[in-house]
Amino acid sequence: MSSSATAAVCSSEYCNAGWSEVLTHMSPYGWASFGVAFGLGLSIVGAAWGIWLTGSSLVGAAVKAPRIRSKNLISVIFCEATAIYGVIMAIILTNKIKEPEDATDYLAQGWDYPGYYYAGYGMFSAGLSVGLTNVASGVSVGIAGSSCAIADAQDASLFVKILIVEIFASALGIFGIIVGIIQSNACNFPIAALS
């Protein structure tokens, strides 16, 4: 193989030597935006998954006992709450993203780069934490809601007992949003250079 056929080695300042450089050279605004996207997107996936689990069992069990249709819709509402937690966190994170006062291609001398990257990474981790927690919450609420519908079709006295389990499953999403708020609390994008 001739030397002209080998791949050219990049020697400019814009080359990435590996994944560590790719991850550290990505804009903190990109990290923050991905955090918002993951928090919102995964929360909606968790809600949809839970509604799918609950709804299919609810419709199936309602064939035997039509009286459970309206009463068990509370399970679908609990699943939808996980998506609402993601929307709340997305609003909180989006309001924390601040543009620099002097918007140029390069940041001014004396810029707080550690604080800049801390805000981006922190908002990414907050959004990812909320999103993954809400996937788990949506699935657990869906499974509990499915069980609630099937048990209610068999014996109406079991509805309240299983609904309590479903409430605890829904609390996972609340814990996730509390953790996300704590994680993002110190994430403030600097808007001007340090004096």
Side-chain angles (χ1 to χ4, degrees), residues 11-70:
S11 59
S12 77
E13 64 178 304
Y14 301 110
C15 290
N16 291 317
W19 280 107
S20 64
E21 282 194 19
V22 170
L23 297 177
T24 57
H25 286 86
M26 188 173 142
S27 168
Y29 293 113
W31 285 109
S33 298
F34 276 125
V36 171
F38 282 133
L40 184 59
L42 290 173
S43 296
I44 292 170
V45 167
W49 200 343
I51 291 169
W52 173 61
L53 290 169
T54 297
S56 59
S57 296
L58 177 58
V59 170
V63 171
K64 179 184 183 292
R67 65 178 168 71
I68 71 166
R69 281 184 298 209
S70 59

Short mmCIF file of all heavy atoms in Angstrom, two decimals, residues 11-70:
data_model
loop_
_atom_site.label_atom_id
_atom_site.label_comp_id
_atom_site.label_asym_id
_atom_site.label_seq_id
_atom_site.Cartn_x
_atom_site.Cartn_y
_atom_site.Cartn_z
N SER A 11 -3.49 17.84 11.60
CA SER A 11 -2.52 18.52 12.44
C SER A 11 -2.96 19.93 12.85
O SER A 11 -2.16 20.68 13.37
CB SER A 11 -1.17 18.60 11.71
OG SER A 11 -1.34 19.31 10.49
N SER A 12 -4.22 20.28 12.62
CA SER A 12 -4.68 21.60 13.02
C SER A 12 -5.12 21.60 14.48
O SER A 12 -5.20 20.55 15.12
CB SER A 12 -5.84 22.07 12.13
OG SER A 12 -7.03 21.42 12.51
N GLU A 13 -5.41 22.77 15.00
CA GLU A 13 -5.84 22.87 16.40
C GLU A 13 -7.25 22.33 16.61
O GLU A 13 -7.69 22.17 17.74
CB GLU A 13 -5.78 24.33 16.86
CG GLU A 13 -6.73 25.24 16.10
CD GLU A 13 -6.70 26.66 16.60
OE1 GLU A 13 -6.92 26.86 17.80
OE2 GLU A 13 -6.48 27.56 15.77
N TYR A 14 -7.99 22.06 15.55
CA TYR A 14 -9.37 21.60 15.65
C TYR A 14 -9.51 20.09 15.58
O TYR A 14 -10.62 19.58 15.46
CB TYR A 14 -10.23 22.26 14.56
CG TYR A 14 -10.20 23.76 14.66
CD1 TYR A 14 -9.55 24.53 13.70
CD2 TYR A 14 -10.81 24.41 15.74
CE1 TYR A 14 -9.51 25.90 13.80
CE2 TYR A 14 -10.77 25.78 15.85
CZ TYR A 14 -10.12 26.53 14.88
OH TYR A 14 -10.08 27.89 15.00
N CYS A 15 -8.41 19.35 15.61
CA CYS A 15 -8.46 17.89 15.55
C CYS A 15 -8.80 17.31 16.93
O CYS A 15 -8.40 17.86 17.96
CB CYS A 15 -7.12 17.32 15.11
SG CYS A 15 -6.78 17.68 13.39
N ASN A 16 -9.50 16.20 16.92
CA ASN A 16 -9.81 15.51 18.16
C ASN A 16 -8.94 14.26 18.24
O ASN A 16 -8.95 13.43 17.34
CB ASN A 16 -11.28 15.10 18.22
CG ASN A 16 -12.18 16.30 18.37
OD1 ASN A 16 -11.89 17.20 19.14
ND2 ASN A 16 -13.29 16.32 17.64
N ALA A 17 -8.20 14.12 19.34
CA ALA A 17 -7.30 12.99 19.51
C ALA A 17 -8.04 11.76 20.02
O ALA A 17 -7.53 10.67 19.95
CB ALA A 17 -6.18 13.35 20.48
N GLY A 18 -9.21 11.92 20.54
CA GLY A 18 -9.97 10.77 21.06
C GLY A 18 -11.27 11.23 21.67
O GLY A 18 -11.64 12.40 21.62
N TRP A 19 -11.97 10.27 22.27
CA TRP A 19 -13.28 10.58 22.85
C TRP A 19 -13.19 11.57 24.01
O TRP A 19 -14.11 12.34 24.25
CB TRP A 19 -13.98 9.30 23.30
CG TRP A 19 -14.61 8.60 22.15
CD1 TRP A 19 -14.19 7.45 21.56
CD2 TRP A 19 -15.77 9.01 21.42
NE1 TRP A 19 -15.00 7.12 20.51
CE2 TRP A 19 -16.00 8.07 20.41
CE3 TRP A 19 -16.63 10.09 21.52
CZ2 TRP A 19 -17.03 8.16 19.51
CZ3 TRP A 19 -17.68 10.19 20.63
CH2 TRP A 19 -17.87 9.23 19.65
N SER A 20 -12.10 11.52 24.74
CA SER A 20 -11.98 12.47 25.85
C SER A 20 -11.98 13.90 25.33
O SER A 20 -12.57 14.79 25.95
CB SER A 20 -10.72 12.20 26.66
OG SER A 20 -9.56 12.41 25.86
N GLU A 21 -11.34 14.13 24.19
CA GLU A 21 -11.36 15.47 23.62
C GLU A 21 -12.72 15.82 23.04
O GLU A 21 -13.16 16.96 23.11
CB GLU A 21 -10.27 15.62 22.56
CG GLU A 21 -8.90 15.81 23.14
CD GLU A 21 -7.91 16.27 22.10
OE1 GLU A 21 -8.32 16.77 21.05
OE2 GLU A 21 -6.71 16.12 22.36
N VAL A 22 -13.38 14.85 22.46
CA VAL A 22 -14.72 15.12 21.91
C VAL A 22 -15.66 15.55 23.03
O VAL A 22 -16.40 16.52 22.90
CB VAL A 22 -15.28 13.88 21.18
CG1 VAL A 22 -16.74 14.07 20.82
CG2 VAL A 22 -14.47 13.57 19.94
N LEU A 23 -15.60 14.85 24.15
CA LEU A 23 -16.51 15.16 25.25
C LEU A 23 -16.15 16.45 25.96
O LEU A 23 -17.03 17.16 26.44
CB LEU A 23 -16.55 13.99 26.24
CG LEU A 23 -17.08 12.67 25.67
CD1 LEU A 23 -17.01 11.58 26.71
CD2 LEU A 23 -18.49 12.83 25.15
N THR A 24 -14.88 16.78 26.04
CA THR A 24 -14.50 18.02 26.73
C THR A 24 -14.56 19.24 25.82
O THR A 24 -14.59 20.36 26.31
CB THR A 24 -13.08 17.91 27.33
OG1 THR A 24 -12.16 17.61 26.29
CG2 THR A 24 -13.03 16.88 28.43
N HIS A 25 -14.56 19.04 24.52
CA HIS A 25 -14.62 20.18 23.60
C HIS A 25 -16.04 20.49 23.15
O HIS A 25 -16.25 21.43 22.40
CB HIS A 25 -13.72 19.93 22.38
CG HIS A 25 -12.27 20.06 22.70
ND1 HIS A 25 -11.53 19.01 23.20
CD2 HIS A 25 -11.43 21.11 22.64
CE1 HIS A 25 -10.29 19.41 23.40
NE2 HIS A 25 -10.19 20.69 23.07
N MET A 26 -17.00 19.71 23.61
CA MET A 26 -18.39 20.02 23.27
C MET A 26 -18.85 21.20 24.13
O MET A 26 -18.50 21.29 25.30
CB MET A 26 -19.26 18.79 23.56
CG MET A 26 -20.67 18.91 23.08
SD MET A 26 -21.48 17.33 23.30
CE MET A 26 -23.08 17.91 23.78
N SER A 27 -19.62 22.05 23.55
CA SER A 27 -20.07 23.26 24.25
C SER A 27 -20.89 22.92 25.48
O SER A 27 -21.73 22.01 25.44
CB SER A 27 -20.92 24.10 23.30
OG SER A 27 -21.57 25.12 24.00
N PRO A 28 -20.70 23.63 26.59
CA PRO A 28 -21.55 23.43 27.76
C PRO A 28 -23.03 23.69 27.46
O PRO A 28 -23.90 23.09 28.07
CB PRO A 28 -21.01 24.43 28.77
CG PRO A 28 -19.60 24.65 28.38
CD PRO A 28 -19.58 24.54 26.88
N TYR A 29 -23.30 24.56 26.49
CA TYR A 29 -24.69 24.77 26.09
C TYR A 29 -25.26 23.51 25.44
O TYR A 29 -26.43 23.21 25.58
CB TYR A 29 -24.80 25.95 25.13
CG TYR A 29 -24.47 27.27 25.77
CD1 TYR A 29 -23.34 27.98 25.40
CD2 TYR A 29 -25.28 27.80 26.77
CE1 TYR A 29 -23.03 29.19 26.00
CE2 TYR A 29 -24.98 29.00 27.37
CZ TYR A 29 -23.86 29.69 26.98
OH TYR A 29 -23.56 30.88 27.58
N GLY A 30 -24.40 22.78 24.73
CA GLY A 30 -24.83 21.51 24.16
C GLY A 30 -25.15 20.49 25.23
O GLY A 30 -26.16 19.78 25.17
N TRP A 31 -24.27 20.41 26.25
CA TRP A 31 -24.52 19.49 27.36
C TRP A 31 -25.83 19.84 28.07
O TRP A 31 -26.64 18.97 28.38
CB TRP A 31 -23.37 19.51 28.36
CG TRP A 31 -22.15 18.80 27.90
CD1 TRP A 31 -20.97 19.36 27.52
CD2 TRP A 31 -21.98 17.39 27.75
NE1 TRP A 31 -20.08 18.39 27.15
CE2 TRP A 31 -20.67 17.17 27.28
CE3 TRP A 31 -22.81 16.29 27.96
CZ2 TRP A 31 -20.17 15.90 27.03
CZ3 TRP A 31 -22.31 15.03 27.71
CH2 TRP A 31 -21.01 14.84 27.25
N ALA A 32 -26.03 21.13 28.31
CA ALA A 32 -27.24 21.56 29.00
C ALA A 32 -28.48 21.25 28.16
O ALA A 32 -29.50 20.78 28.68
CB ALA A 32 -27.17 23.05 29.30
N SER A 33 -28.39 21.48 26.86
CA SER A 33 -29.53 21.20 25.99
C SER A 33 -29.83 19.71 25.91
O SER A 33 -30.99 19.30 25.87
CB SER A 33 -29.26 21.76 24.59
OG SER A 33 -29.11 23.16 24.66
N PHE A 34 -28.79 18.89 25.88
CA PHE A 34 -29.01 17.44 25.91
C PHE A 34 -29.65 17.02 27.23
O PHE A 34 -30.47 16.10 27.27
CB PHE A 34 -27.70 16.67 25.70
CG PHE A 34 -27.33 16.50 24.26
CD1 PHE A 34 -26.11 16.92 23.79
CD2 PHE A 34 -28.22 15.91 23.37
CE1 PHE A 34 -25.76 16.76 22.46
CE2 PHE A 34 -27.88 15.75 22.03
CZ PHE A 34 -26.64 16.18 21.58
N GLY A 35 -29.27 17.68 28.33
CA GLY A 35 -29.91 17.38 29.62
C GLY A 35 -31.39 17.68 29.59
O GLY A 35 -32.21 16.90 30.07
N VAL A 36 -31.75 18.82 29.00
CA VAL A 36 -33.17 19.18 28.87
C VAL A 36 -33.88 18.14 28.00
O VAL A 36 -34.97 17.66 28.33
CB VAL A 36 -33.33 20.60 28.28
CG1 VAL A 36 -34.78 20.89 27.95
CG2 VAL A 36 -32.78 21.64 29.24
N ALA A 37 -33.25 17.78 26.88
CA ALA A 37 -33.87 16.83 25.95
C ALA A 37 -34.04 15.45 26.58
O ALA A 37 -35.11 14.83 26.45
CB ALA A 37 -33.03 16.73 24.68
N PHE A 38 -33.01 14.96 27.27
CA PHE A 38 -33.12 13.65 27.90
C PHE A 38 -34.14 13.66 29.04
O PHE A 38 -34.88 12.70 29.22
CB PHE A 38 -31.77 13.16 28.41
CG PHE A 38 -30.87 12.61 27.35
CD1 PHE A 38 -29.54 12.99 27.28
CD2 PHE A 38 -31.34 11.71 26.42
CE1 PHE A 38 -28.71 12.49 26.30
CE2 PHE A 38 -30.52 11.20 25.44
CZ PHE A 38 -29.19 11.59 25.37
N GLY A 39 -34.15 14.71 29.82
CA GLY A 39 -35.11 14.80 30.92
C GLY A 39 -36.54 14.77 30.42
O GLY A 39 -37.39 14.05 30.94
N LEU A 40 -36.82 15.54 29.39
CA LEU A 40 -38.17 15.61 28.84
C LEU A 40 -38.51 14.36 28.04
O LEU A 40 -39.57 13.74 28.23
CB LEU A 40 -38.31 16.86 27.97
CG LEU A 40 -39.67 17.14 27.37
CD1 LEU A 40 -40.72 17.29 28.47
CD2 LEU A 40 -39.62 18.40 26.53
N GLY A 41 -37.61 13.96 27.17
CA GLY A 41 -37.87 12.81 26.30
C GLY A 41 -38.05 11.50 27.06
O GLY A 41 -39.00 10.75 26.80
N LEU A 42 -37.14 11.22 27.99
CA LEU A 42 -37.25 9.96 28.74
C LEU A 42 -38.45 9.96 29.67
O LEU A 42 -39.04 8.91 29.91
CB LEU A 42 -35.96 9.71 29.52
CG LEU A 42 -34.73 9.36 28.67
CD1 LEU A 42 -33.48 9.29 29.53
CD2 LEU A 42 -34.94 8.06 27.90
N SER A 43 -38.83 11.12 30.18
CA SER A 43 -40.04 11.19 31.02
C SER A 43 -41.28 10.85 30.20
O SER A 43 -42.18 10.15 30.68
CB SER A 43 -40.18 12.58 31.63
OG SER A 43 -39.11 12.85 32.49
N ILE A 44 -41.33 11.33 28.98
CA ILE A 44 -42.47 11.02 28.12
C ILE A 44 -42.47 9.54 27.73
O ILE A 44 -43.53 8.91 27.68
CB ILE A 44 -42.46 11.94 26.88
CG1 ILE A 44 -42.74 13.37 27.33
CG2 ILE A 44 -43.46 11.48 25.84
CD1 ILE A 44 -42.53 14.41 26.27
N VAL A 45 -41.29 8.98 27.51
CA VAL A 45 -41.20 7.54 27.22
C VAL A 45 -41.72 6.73 28.42
O VAL A 45 -42.47 5.77 28.25
CB VAL A 45 -39.75 7.14 26.87
CG1 VAL A 45 -39.57 5.63 26.89
CG2 VAL A 45 -39.37 7.70 25.51
N GLY A 46 -41.32 7.13 29.64
CA GLY A 46 -41.80 6.43 30.84
C GLY A 46 -43.30 6.53 30.99
O GLY A 46 -43.97 5.54 31.33
N ALA A 47 -43.86 7.71 30.72
CA ALA A 47 -45.31 7.88 30.82
C ALA A 47 -46.03 7.03 29.77
O ALA A 47 -47.03 6.37 30.07
CB ALA A 47 -45.68 9.34 30.66
N ALA A 48 -45.52 7.05 28.56
CA ALA A 48 -46.16 6.27 27.48
C ALA A 48 -46.10 4.77 27.77
O ALA A 48 -47.07 4.04 27.54
CB ALA A 48 -45.48 6.58 26.15
N TRP A 49 -44.98 4.33 28.29
CA TRP A 49 -44.82 2.91 28.60
C TRP A 49 -45.79 2.50 29.71
O TRP A 49 -46.44 1.47 29.64
CB TRP A 49 -43.38 2.66 29.04
CG TRP A 49 -42.90 1.26 28.95
CD1 TRP A 49 -43.65 0.12 28.84
CD2 TRP A 49 -41.54 0.84 28.98
NE1 TRP A 49 -42.84 -0.98 28.80
CE2 TRP A 49 -41.53 -0.56 28.88
CE3 TRP A 49 -40.34 1.51 29.09
CZ2 TRP A 49 -40.35 -1.29 28.89
CZ3 TRP A 49 -39.18 0.78 29.09
CH2 TRP A 49 -39.18 -0.60 29.00
N GLY A 50 -45.90 3.35 30.73
CA GLY A 50 -46.84 3.06 31.82
C GLY A 50 -48.28 3.07 31.36
O GLY A 50 -49.08 2.20 31.75
N ILE A 51 -48.64 4.03 30.51
CA ILE A 51 -50.01 4.09 29.99
C ILE A 51 -50.31 2.86 29.12
O ILE A 51 -51.41 2.31 29.17
CB ILE A 51 -50.23 5.40 29.21
CG1 ILE A 51 -50.23 6.59 30.18
CG2 ILE A 51 -51.53 5.37 28.41
CD1 ILE A 51 -50.19 7.94 29.50
N TRP A 52 -49.32 2.44 28.37
CA TRP A 52 -49.49 1.24 27.54
C TRP A 52 -49.74 0.00 28.42
O TRP A 52 -50.65 -0.78 28.14
CB TRP A 52 -48.24 1.05 26.66
CG TRP A 52 -48.22 -0.23 25.90
CD1 TRP A 52 -49.11 -0.65 24.96
CD2 TRP A 52 -47.25 -1.26 26.01
NE1 TRP A 52 -48.75 -1.88 24.48
CE2 TRP A 52 -47.59 -2.27 25.11
CE3 TRP A 52 -46.11 -1.42 26.79
CZ2 TRP A 52 -46.85 -3.42 24.97
CZ3 TRP A 52 -45.37 -2.57 26.62
CH2 TRP A 52 -45.74 -3.56 25.73
N LEU A 53 -48.95 -0.14 29.48
CA LEU A 53 -49.13 -1.30 30.38
C LEU A 53 -50.49 -1.24 31.08
O LEU A 53 -51.21 -2.23 31.14
CB LEU A 53 -48.01 -1.34 31.42
CG LEU A 53 -46.62 -1.69 30.92
CD1 LEU A 53 -45.59 -1.42 32.00
CD2 LEU A 53 -46.58 -3.14 30.48
N THR A 54 -50.81 -0.09 31.63
CA THR A 54 -52.06 0.06 32.36
C THR A 54 -53.27 -0.02 31.44
O THR A 54 -54.24 -0.72 31.74
CB THR A 54 -52.08 1.42 33.10
OG1 THR A 54 -51.04 1.42 34.06
CG2 THR A 54 -53.39 1.65 33.81
N GLY A 55 -53.20 0.69 30.32
CA GLY A 55 -54.35 0.76 29.42
C GLY A 55 -54.73 -0.58 28.82
O GLY A 55 -55.92 -0.91 28.71
N SER A 56 -53.74 -1.37 28.44
CA SER A 56 -54.05 -2.67 27.84
C SER A 56 -54.71 -3.60 28.86
O SER A 56 -55.66 -4.30 28.54
CB SER A 56 -52.78 -3.30 27.27
OG SER A 56 -51.80 -3.46 28.27
N SER A 57 -54.23 -3.57 30.08
CA SER A 57 -54.86 -4.41 31.12
C SER A 57 -56.23 -3.88 31.50
O SER A 57 -57.16 -4.66 31.77
CB SER A 57 -53.98 -4.47 32.36
OG SER A 57 -52.77 -5.10 32.08
N LEU A 58 -56.37 -2.57 31.53
CA LEU A 58 -57.65 -1.97 31.87
C LEU A 58 -58.72 -2.33 30.85
O LEU A 58 -59.84 -2.71 31.20
CB LEU A 58 -57.49 -0.45 31.97
CG LEU A 58 -58.74 0.38 32.26
CD1 LEU A 58 -59.37 -0.05 33.57
CD2 LEU A 58 -58.38 1.84 32.29
N VAL A 59 -58.39 -2.23 29.58
CA VAL A 59 -59.35 -2.56 28.53
C VAL A 59 -59.67 -4.05 28.56
O VAL A 59 -60.83 -4.46 28.42
CB VAL A 59 -58.81 -2.13 27.16
CG1 VAL A 59 -59.66 -2.67 26.03
CG2 VAL A 59 -58.73 -0.62 27.08
N GLY A 60 -58.66 -4.88 28.79
CA GLY A 60 -58.90 -6.33 28.84
C GLY A 60 -59.74 -6.74 30.04
O GLY A 60 -60.66 -7.56 29.91
N ALA A 61 -59.46 -6.16 31.20
CA ALA A 61 -60.22 -6.52 32.39
C ALA A 61 -61.63 -5.94 32.37
O ALA A 61 -62.55 -6.48 32.98
CB ALA A 61 -59.48 -6.05 33.64
N ALA A 62 -61.81 -4.83 31.63
CA ALA A 62 -63.14 -4.21 31.56
C ALA A 62 -64.12 -5.06 30.75
O ALA A 62 -65.33 -4.85 30.84
CB ALA A 62 -63.03 -2.83 30.94
N VAL A 63 -63.63 -6.03 30.01
CA VAL A 63 -64.52 -6.95 29.29
C VAL A 63 -65.31 -7.78 30.30
O VAL A 63 -66.51 -7.99 30.15
CB VAL A 63 -63.71 -7.84 28.33
CG1 VAL A 63 -64.57 -8.94 27.73
CG2 VAL A 63 -63.07 -7.01 27.24
N LYS A 64 -64.61 -8.23 31.34
CA LYS A 64 -65.26 -9.05 32.36
C LYS A 64 -66.08 -8.19 33.32
O LYS A 64 -67.16 -8.59 33.75
CB LYS A 64 -64.22 -9.84 33.15
CG LYS A 64 -64.80 -10.70 34.25
CD LYS A 64 -63.71 -11.37 35.05
CE LYS A 64 -64.26 -12.29 36.11
NZ LYS A 64 -64.95 -11.60 37.18
N ALA A 65 -65.54 -7.04 33.70
CA ALA A 65 -66.19 -6.17 34.69
C ALA A 65 -66.20 -4.74 34.17
O ALA A 65 -65.28 -3.97 34.46
CB ALA A 65 -65.47 -6.27 36.02
N PRO A 66 -67.22 -4.34 33.41
CA PRO A 66 -67.25 -2.98 32.85
C PRO A 66 -67.26 -1.87 33.90
O PRO A 66 -66.91 -0.73 33.59
CB PRO A 66 -68.56 -2.96 32.04
CG PRO A 66 -68.90 -4.39 31.80
CD PRO A 66 -68.33 -5.16 32.95
N ARG A 67 -67.58 -2.16 35.13
CA ARG A 67 -67.63 -1.14 36.17
C ARG A 67 -66.26 -0.56 36.50
O ARG A 67 -66.17 0.52 37.08
CB ARG A 67 -68.25 -1.74 37.45
CG ARG A 67 -67.39 -2.83 38.05
CD ARG A 67 -67.93 -3.41 39.34
NE ARG A 67 -67.22 -4.61 39.69
CZ ARG A 67 -65.96 -4.65 40.12
NH1 ARG A 67 -65.29 -3.54 40.27
NH2 ARG A 67 -65.39 -5.80 40.40
N ILE A 68 -65.18 -1.21 36.11
CA ILE A 68 -63.83 -0.73 36.48
C ILE A 68 -63.29 0.33 35.54
O ILE A 68 -62.29 0.94 35.83
CB ILE A 68 -62.83 -1.90 36.56
CG1 ILE A 68 -62.51 -2.42 35.15
CG2 ILE A 68 -63.30 -3.00 37.46
CD1 ILE A 68 -61.31 -3.32 35.10
N ARG A 69 -63.97 0.58 34.43
CA ARG A 69 -63.42 1.48 33.41
C ARG A 69 -63.13 2.88 33.95
O ARG A 69 -62.02 3.39 33.81
CB ARG A 69 -64.37 1.58 32.21
CG ARG A 69 -64.26 0.40 31.29
CD ARG A 69 -65.13 0.63 30.11
NE ARG A 69 -66.52 0.76 30.57
CZ ARG A 69 -67.57 0.43 29.86
NH1 ARG A 69 -67.42 -0.01 28.64
NH2 ARG A 69 -68.78 0.55 30.34
N SER A 70 -64.09 3.52 34.54
CA SER A 70 -63.88 4.90 34.97
C SER A 70 -63.04 4.98 36.25
O SER A 70 -62.22 5.89 36.40
CB SER A 70 -65.22 5.60 35.18
OG SER A 70 -65.98 4.92 36.16
#
